[in-house]
Amino acid sequence: MFSQFKFVTGNANKVREAGDILGVTLEQVEVGGIFEMQTQDIEELVNHKCQQAYDLLNCPVLVEDSGLMFNAWNGLPGALVKWFECAVGCEGMIKMLQSFEDRDATAVCCIAIHDGKNIRIARGEIEGTIATKIRGANGFGWDVIFIPNGYQRTFAEMLPRDKNTISHRKKALENLKILLRS
C-alpha cells in the first residue's frame, strides 16, 4: 500500500520510524525547493508541503510533520517546535517552561499523501507532560523531553519498539491506513 508513495523528507529518523511502525521499507526522497511555511498549524503545513512535493516530483508522495503543543503556551510551539529546537534546544524549552505550573503537552503528527488526484491528511495525537530535564538517549528531536500520559519515561528513554506502539506517529499512520481503505 505505501510502496507507491515517495516519502519526501530530509529526516531519515522519521522514515526509519514510520517504516518500523508499518513493517515496510519506505523510499526516502529529499527534494530541494520545498518552501516550509511558518505556521503553528501542522495540518496546514503538511498540506502545503505535500502539494509542493507532488508538483516537483509528479508522482505519489507522502509528507509528514510533527509538533509539540504546550498547554501553558496556548499550543506553541506546535509545528514550529523544530525552530525552537534550533534556536534554544530542548533544554531551552524546558527552562522557558519553568515558570509555568502547567507542564501538559500534546504530541501531534500529521501525514499527508498526494496520489495525483487528492491530498489526504491523517492526524495522530498523544497527551503527555514535559520533563523537568532532558532524559534518555533513544529517539530524536524532542523525544528527550516528552513523557506520554500513563508512563514515567520520556520517548527517548523508551526502546524504539515501545515508543512505536503508542506514539503520535503510530496513531497518524493508523489513521492514514483507514483513509486509504475508504
Side-chain angles (χ1 to χ4, degrees):
M1 174 187 310
F2 289 96
S3 61
Q4 69 182 5
F5 295 98
K6 297 191 184 309
F7 195 156
V8 180
T9 182
N11 190 332
N13 290 314
K14 289 181 178 185
V15 178
R16 176 189 41 76
E17 192 168 281
D20 288 350
I21 291 168
L22 294 168
V24 299
T25 301
L26 297 169
E27 181 183 352
Q28 178 182 359
V29 177
E30 290 188 55
V31 177
I34 292 183
F35 170 74
E36 189 164 313
M37 67 188 312
Q38 300 308 297
T39 178
Q40 186 179 338
D41 186 322
I42 301 165
E43 288 186 39
E44 181 182 20
L45 175 62
V46 296
N47 185 63
H48 185 255
K49 283 173 43 175
C50 194
Q51 184 63 58
Q52 288 184 86
Y54 183 82
D55 290 346
L56 289 166
L57 295 173
N58 200 30
C59 68
V61 294
L62 178 149
V63 299
E64 182 268 5
D65 218 305
S66 58
L68 191 57
M69 302 178 347
F70 297 168
N71 288 2
W73 294 355
N74 296 317
L76 277 172
L80 302 172
V81 71
K82 71 176 152 190
W83 305 113
F84 275 65
E85 285 179 74
C86 290
V88 299
C90 289
E91 194 166 297
M93 286 189 281
I94 289 171
K95 285 180 184 175
M96 293 184 333
L97 199 57
Q98 272 180 326
S99 64
F100 293 88
E101 211 172 288
D102 186 353
R103 299 189 71 80
D104 291 342
T106 304
V108 179
C109 176
C110 287
I111 299 174
I113 59 165
H114 195 318
D115 61 6
K117 296 177 186 168
N118 300 302
I119 294 177
R120 295 184 185 165
I121 300 173
R123 182 180 180 104
E125 296 184 4
I126 185 168
E127 303 290 325
T129 58
I130 302 301
T132 56
K133 63 181 181 179
I134 289 177
R135 298 176 14 200
N138 296 322
F140 58 96
W142 43 264
D143 285 354
V144 296
I145 63 172
F146 184 75
I147 304 166
N149 283 350
Y151 295 83
Q152 301 301 314
R153 299 175 291 155
T154 65
F155 273 164
E157 292 175 300
M158 296 178 178
L159 294 173
R161 71 173 180 267
D162 296 332
K163 175 193 172 192
N164 290 346
T165 63
I166 63 166
S167 77
H168 54 304
R169 189 164 289 113
K170 161 89 171 176
K171 291 179 179 188
L173 287 165
E174 287 174 347
N175 289 333
L176 182 60
K177 285 180 186 177
I178 292 166
L179 275 177
L180 289 172
R181 281 189 223 125
S182 62

